[in-house]
Every structure is written in C-alpha cells, then in structure tokens.
Amino acid sequence: MTEFRKLTLNSSKNSLHSPRTMSTKNIGIGMAGFGTVGTGVWETIQRNGSLISNRAKGAFSLSIIKAAVRDITKKRIDDAPADLFTTDWQEVVRHPEVDIVVELIGGTTTAFDIVAEAIKLKKPVVTGNKALLAERGKELFALSKQYDTPIHFEAAVAGGIPVIKAVQDSYVGNRIETMSGIINGTSNYILERMTNAGLDYLEALKEAQDLGYAEADPALDVNGWDAAHKAILLATLAYGFSVDPEQVYVRGIERVRTIDIDFATKLGYAVKLLSVVRQHSDGSVELRTQPSFIAKSHILSSVNGVFNAVAVRGDASGEALFYGRGAGKEPTASSVVADLVEAAYTFVHTAGHRGFLPYTESGQLRPIEETETSYYVRFAVTDRPGVIAEIANILANDGIGISGTHSPVDPEDPDKDFVDMVFLLHKCPFGKLQETLKKCEALDCVTEEPVVFRIEKLATS
Ligand code: HSE
C-alpha cells in the first residue's frame, strides 16, 4: 500500500468505526483531469472514504493513485503525495494499481483514447463527458460490450442529480414517454440573472464563469450544445438507439435579449433553455433544445440559478421531477463518486444487468419540421408604414394564426427607424413556420433573421 493510500484510509473521522477486514479490497483510481470536479472527487473521498467503506460492509476502500494533468506545477490540493500527478495519461491508465479510470478532461479526442484504452485493459470507466458520449458513444459502448467493461456516466447529465441511475433502475418497468427539462446550469443562471437582477447577457455569463459553472469552453453552455449532449444521452438511454447529433435541432441563448424576457414576464411566462425528449405514438423520438417560454404556473419555470430539473414521465409511473444542482464542484463530484462505488462493487460482486442500456435498440428521430408548438417570434424591422401588414399578410397566406402582436415604443425616440416587433403565433408545425419566416426575412423591412422561442405546453401546466 502506498503512503497516500494510508493517508486516505486514516484521514476520515469515521475510520474508527470501519468494519474493514483483512479481505477489504483496495480499489485504485486513476484520474485523467484534475480540475474543479477532480478536486471535488479527491476531497469527497478524503472526507467520506471510510463512510463509503462502511456502507460497502468493508468490502472495498477507494484511493486515488495517479492523476494526469496538463500543468504539473499548478497547486490543486494541500495534501497531494509528490508522485500523484503526471502529464502522461497512459501512465495513469496503465498503472498496475489503477483499477478504475475517471475521465474528466472533456473533449472528444484524447478523452476518447483514454476511455478506449481503459476499456481494452478491462478497467471500468467513470466519465462526466457528455460531449464524448453523445458524439462517440456508439463506438465506446461497442467497445464496452466487446470487453465486458462498463462505462458509468451519472456525472455527465445534470451534475449532482441522480437521474441516470434512477432511469436505469427505477423505470425498468416503464415505457418512457418524456424526459424534458432544464439541463444546463450556466444558461439557466444567465437567464435568471437577466430576469431577476437586470444584468445583461455578458455580465451574467461572466458571473457564471467566475462561479465555476461554465464549461472550459463556455460556448457549449450558451450555444445549447452542452444541454443537447445531455438530452442525447437521455434519449439513447431511454430509447436505446444511437442518435446522430447532426440530426438534432439545437439553439442556444446567445440571441436572448432583455426585451424577450420582459415580454415573457408580462405574458406570464419564464424564458428557459428547454430540452425536450419525447416519444410519439408512431415510435419516433422528438429531441430538441432551444429557448422556450414556460408558463409561470409550471414548476419548471421556478427552476432558477444553477439548478437543473428533469421531468421524467413513464407510462406506469406518471411524472416525476428530478431537481438539484446541475453543475459545480461538489454536486458533480458526488455523481462521480457514486459511479466509482458502483464500479468498485463489480470487483467484489458480479454486476447485475441494467434495465436500460444505451445503444442496444434501433429507433428513429422525429424530424424537427414535424414537431408542433405555438411560438413567440421577434423581428428586427425598419419602421415604416405597412410593416406589420406585410408580415401579417405572409403569415395569413401561409395559414399561421396570430394570437398577439406588439412593438415596444422607445419613449425617448418614438420615431426611431429600427424597432423590434413581436408576434405570438398559434400552434403549427415547425417546418411550416421556418418556411414562412424565410419569406418574412426576405422582406426589405426585416433586417435580420427572426428570433424564435417555443411556447411550451408542458403536461402538468
Ligand atoms: N457547464 C455545465 C452547466 C455543467 O452549466 O450545466 C456541467 O455539464
């Protein structure tokens, strides 16, 4: 046993009560990446290592043996043994004492190599990398099957909320009808700060980054792809088939402005980045992520700050809401540690089969053009006589009903040439709306691509 292992086992307040026996197996963990979440994993194991061993009835203990980092000189934790860090991920994965590999570097290239290598060495993998699994999960789960070595990914969806395990275990007797929700903490934080604190978009983004919520590349948070990757993972789990990310409709929050939020508020809605996963009666799966208006009466409209919520509806269970912290050091570390414990059990017991397994079935996405809601559309227009009529004419000719329209007047400059014009539109297929908006965009008075929000009619509103 290394000096560090002794430190880990003896450092917890609970160690006196540990039922560890001579047969306790020391499970060595190798980390690829040791940033915010990695540090949280270290601290959680330090703090609760003996508690975890107790709960495993002394069958195993967890120790971080080796960690690959980009900059070995950077100070991360106070009590790190001198030989903990390396810059070579292969040293971590191939280390003879490493039984389980944790991948937390993000991205889809080196992370892929790390996960693939670990699986080929029959070392279970724990990852929080939704981009990797959403983009290249098919290849990795094929390897996982070939080498009979699991990939655990609770931390990849909704941070500290145990929604993956809940679905895998507790919904095994259900057909999943919908799994929809707010699954990007950074964008939810930004939208809430714009709504409640009057911050502009960039100020709110800066706050979210300072608080450690944003991805290393915050573009993924605000362009919708972080949430979309999570929604893809939920869909592959619930429906078992491989989803091509290029077929998924994704819009982020970059074009949301204060005017949209003010308008939504006046109409009784909250603006949220919503991901929708829904199976239709023909078996096709609707899968999309985009800014949406949600009625204030619906519980999802109250999910604020970095919190996430996923509403899961099974045909037998009805709807349940999973709510909690969707990002941040400790909540995400909590999910990583839960997966580590699950992986550790496979070294002392034979693993049972899961109810839901990704990439085991065939299925198909529903084309986004066929999905239907009502809509809020904001046009930027040159303000001249007839503008409203021209847009309304195109909508009327295409059979799209208008339920309201508004053009806020700037009291300082009522004769301003460029204005925002908002239309609330009745329910219609999204494909039809897109075609009609193209015609509107071609009008010389419309100065940029219109901004569209879905007005979501959620089941329990
Ligand atoms: N950056 C993510 C979020 C956290 O804001 O939700 C991890 O996915």
Side-chain angles (χ1 to χ4, degrees):
M1 185 188 282
T2 63
E3 230 180 82
F4 165 55
R5 275 190 178 170
K6 286 178 201 146
L7 174 69
T8 301
L9 294 174
N10 295 332
S11 63
S12 168
K13 293 176 195 138
N14 299 302
S15 56
L16 282 175
H17 307 291
S18 169
R20 241 177 297 111
T21 65
M22 290 303 285
S23 63
T24 297
K25 176 163 174 53
N26 291 312
I27 304 285
I29 299 163
M31 309 271 294
F34 206 97
T36 307
V37 176
T39 307
V41 172
W42 169 277
E43 289 169 359
T44 304
I45 292 176
Q46 290 289 85
R47 195 168 67 240
N48 296 339
S50 290
L51 182 65
I52 292 166
S53 275
N54 290 352
R55 288 177 176 156
K57 299 189 175 60
F60 58 79
S61 62
L62 302 175
S63 302
I64 297 175
I65 300 292
K66 207 81 197 159
V69 292
R70 207 173 292 152
D71 177 5
I72 206 164
T73 61
K74 187 170 161 186
K75 176 135 176 67
R76 293 173 168 82
I77 42 176
D78 288 333
D79 46 358
D83 61 349
L84 178 65
F85 293 114
T86 171
T87 52
D88 178 6
W89 65 261
Q90 307 220 16
E91 203 189 318
V92 172
V93 175
R94 294 184 185 157
H95 194 291
E97 287 183 58
V98 165
D99 301 302
I100 305 173
V101 173
V102 179
E103 183 280 305
L104 293 171
I105 66 165
T108 57
T109 48
T110 307
F112 181 93
D113 295 339
I114 292 168
V115 173
E117 176 79 6
I119 290 172
K120 287 178 189 163
L121 294 169
K122 295 192 79 97
K123 299 187 178 187
V125 171
V126 174
T127 179
N129 190 335
K130 46 261 160 196
L132 175 66
L133 297 184
E135 305 272 346
R136 306 190 67 183
K138 192 173 180 184
E139 300 160 76
L140 289 174
F141 279 97
L143 273 182
S144 157
K145 192 172 170 194
Q146 184 185 344
Y147 288 87
D148 194 21
T149 301
I151 302 171
H152 302 271
F153 56 99
E154 185 66 73
V157 179
I161 307 175
V163 66
I164 297 295
K165 283 189 182 50
V167 170
Q168 283 183 316
D169 292 335
S170 304
Y171 283 81
V172 66
N174 285 253
R175 278 188 180 282
I176 304 283
E177 292 175 350
T178 59
M179 302 179 85
S180 303
I182 295 163
I183 45 180
N184 181 265
T186 301
S187 52
N188 201 48
Y189 181 87
I190 291 170
L191 291 173
E192 193 236 315
R193 296 292 286 160
M194 288 173 76
T195 306
N196 294 338
L199 299 190
D200 72 24
Y201 172 76
L202 290 175
E203 288 168 334
L205 172 61
K206 167 98 179 40
E207 269 193 12
Q209 284 174 301
D210 290 347
L211 289 165
Y213 300 149
E215 297 292 290
D217 175 4
L220 289 173
D221 292 300
V222 295
N223 69 15
W225 272 102
D226 177 76
H229 284 143
K230 293 168 187 169
I232 289 171
L233 287 185
L234 289 173
T236 56
L237 190 63
Y239 305 113
F241 69 98
S242 166
V243 172
D244 175 1
E246 293 200 356
Q247 303 296 314
V248 178
Y249 185 83
V250 184
R251 292 290 181 277
I253 62 163
E254 303 116 307
R255 297 188 70 201
V256 178
R257 294 199 358 233
T258 315
I259 177 182
D260 304 313
I261 289 178
D262 290 348
F263 210 87
T265 306
K266 278 190 196 119
L267 289 166
Y269 295 101
V271 177
K272 297 288 177 194
L273 184 70
L274 193 73
S275 297
V276 173
V277 182
R278 175 185 296 137
Q279 190 169 42
H280 289 259
S281 52
D282 63 0
S284 65
V285 175
E286 180 175 346
L287 179 52
R288 56 188 167 84
T289 292
Q290 65 198 125
S292 303
F293 281 20
I294 298 177
K296 286 261 175 68
S297 55
H298 194 278
I299 195 164
L300 284 181
S301 73
S302 313
V303 175
N304 282 323
V306 74
F307 282 83
N308 283 191
V310 186
V312 181
R313 192 167 67 233
D315 61 350
S317 66
E319 195 161 61
L321 186 71
F322 295 85
Y323 170 81
R325 290 186 182 274
K329 177 175 158 184
E330 298 218 322
T332 313
S334 162
S335 290
V336 171
V337 172
D339 276 350
L340 282 169
V341 169
E342 189 174 354
Y345 269 111
T346 62
F347 288 90
V348 290
H349 302 301
T350 311
H353 277 291
R354 287 290 193 190
F356 283 87
L357 291 168
Y359 305 100
T360 51
E361 292 169 40
S362 58
Q364 58 173 25
L365 284 185
R366 188 175 187 84
I368 191 69
E369 292 76 16
E370 292 175 19
T371 64
E372 289 195 5
T373 53
S374 41
Y375 306 92
Y376 162 104
V377 182
R378 170 165 49 80
F379 296 92
V381 297
T382 314
D383 192 14
R384 59 165 169 69
V387 167
I388 294 187
E390 283 176 47
I391 295 175
N393 241 335
I394 293 176
L395 291 166
N397 286 339
D398 284 357
I400 297 179
I402 300 170
S403 55
T405 178
H406 183 67
S407 182
V409 175
D410 181 352
E412 298 292 319
D413 186 5
D415 292 324
K416 204 159 110 187
D417 287 341
F418 296 95
V419 294
D420 291 306
M421 190 165 286
V422 165
F423 282 78
L424 296 172
L425 303 177
H426 285 300
K427 191 169 173 177
C428 72
F430 188 61
K432 181 173 180 171
L433 179 79
Q434 283 177 310
E435 280 170 27
T436 304
L437 292 185
K438 282 258 166 315
K439 293 179 201 165
C440 297
E441 204 181 328
L443 293 171
D444 63 5
C445 58
V446 174
T447 58
E448 58 182 55
E449 187 190 346
V451 178
V452 178
F453 292 71
R454 297 259 185 170
I455 301 179
E456 298 285 351
K457 180 100 183 69
L458 295 164
T460 52
S461 29

